[in-house]
Amino acid sequence: LGSLIFPLGTFLEGASVVNALSFITPKSEATALYGIMSGVVAPVVSMPSVISSSFCSWLLPRLCSTLPQSRRATFSKYAKLPFVFSALSSLTLVIFAKEILVFLYSLQGDRLSVGVKILTVASPIPFLSCALSLVTTYLQSQNKSYLPPINLLVGVVLKLFLTPFSISAFSIYGAQACVVISYLTAFVLGCFQALFLGFGFKIQTLASVLISSLAFVFFAVSIYTLVPTLLGCAIALPTAVSVAFVIFDKRPQNANIVKIIKKTVK
């Protein structure tokens, strides 16, 4: 049921977006804008989400096979890697949006400009999708599998309700923002439900994710600023990812955050 709700919402969204855009732009242009959103940006955004979702499918039987009192520790042990992966994926879409679209689709001119803006708006989706998948996995392991579909349904209904109003105010970018809102809504609802069941990460893990993300942004932006080409992007991305994962892998337990930042800068 959970796997059915989002695709059904996307199907209904297509007609809603094109019809709403037709009131502020010609029909052909409305179709072209939705094509960029659904045919160009959506596949780029969905790939990291598919990876994290697949990991959660692998994680679920391992959670179910552990004792309830040790389930949170098992969850924290395995969930940290997709958590930081999805954070870096979202940051990558923000920093290298233009280069990604040029490399994959050879977009130019106005279509490239529109695509970059839509992709930037959609960039939180990999992180939110992973967080939603992790929360869903935890709820399922706690025998609360009926809650995630309800959360998804609320998110999709809210998206469909807000889409026409958002499009009238922000054009196609409003439609993409509503997709982000649907993920955020489902995640927030699931997070509150899971917190009562023991869901959560240690402060040290969250600090590691934050510092790793900051280091990723620093190295990616710095290198790309020095070499603002596809070659610079090819150098900046693996370098920034490597530094971020090295920092995250240290998993400091008692270190002061200031010391960690100083070590990162050094």
Side-chain angles (χ1 to χ4, degrees), residues 26-103:
K27 186 78 171 182
S28 58
E29 184 65 19
T31 304
L33 288 174
Y34 184 69
I36 294 175
M37 174 182 161
S38 61
V40 174
V41 172
V44 175
V45 171
S46 65
M47 182 50 63
S49 303
V50 168
I51 295 174
S52 59
S53 178
S54 299
F55 181 89
C56 290
S57 298
W58 171 87
L59 174 60
L60 179 58
R62 283 158 180 77
L63 279 181
C64 294
S65 63
T66 59
L67 296 175
Q69 56 267 31
S70 60
R71 198 161 286 164
R72 178 176 179 179
T74 302
F75 174 84
S76 297
K77 176 183 177 181
Y78 288 108
K80 288 181 286 191
L81 183 59
F83 197 56
V84 70
F85 167 77
S86 63
L88 298 188
S89 297
S90 288
L91 291 172
T92 298
L93 296 182
V94 174
I95 299 171
F96 302 112
K98 179 180 178 180
E99 288 67 31
I100 290 171
L101 296 181
V102 169
F103 179 75

Side-chain angles (χ1 to χ4, degrees), residues 83 201-214 247-248 252 255-257 260-261:
F83 197 56
F201 289 99
K202 294 181 179 178
I203 296 298
Q204 292 87 346
T205 300
L206 297 177
S208 295
V209 173
L210 175 61
I211 296 169
S212 299
S213 300
L214 292 175
I247 294 172
F248 181 76
N256 188 289
I257 290 182
I260 300 170
I261 294 175

Side-chain angles (χ1 to χ4, degrees), residues 2 4-13 149-163 178-179 181-183 185-186:
L4 174 66
I5 291 174
F6 251 103
L8 181 60
T10 301
F11 171 75
L12 297 175
E13 173 196 66
I150 297 175
N151 300 335
L152 290 174
L153 183 61
V154 172
V156 168
V157 170
L158 182 63
K159 175 183 71 171
L160 295 175
F161 174 76
L162 293 177
T163 293
C178 288
V179 178
I181 290 173
S182 68
Y183 279 97
T185 301

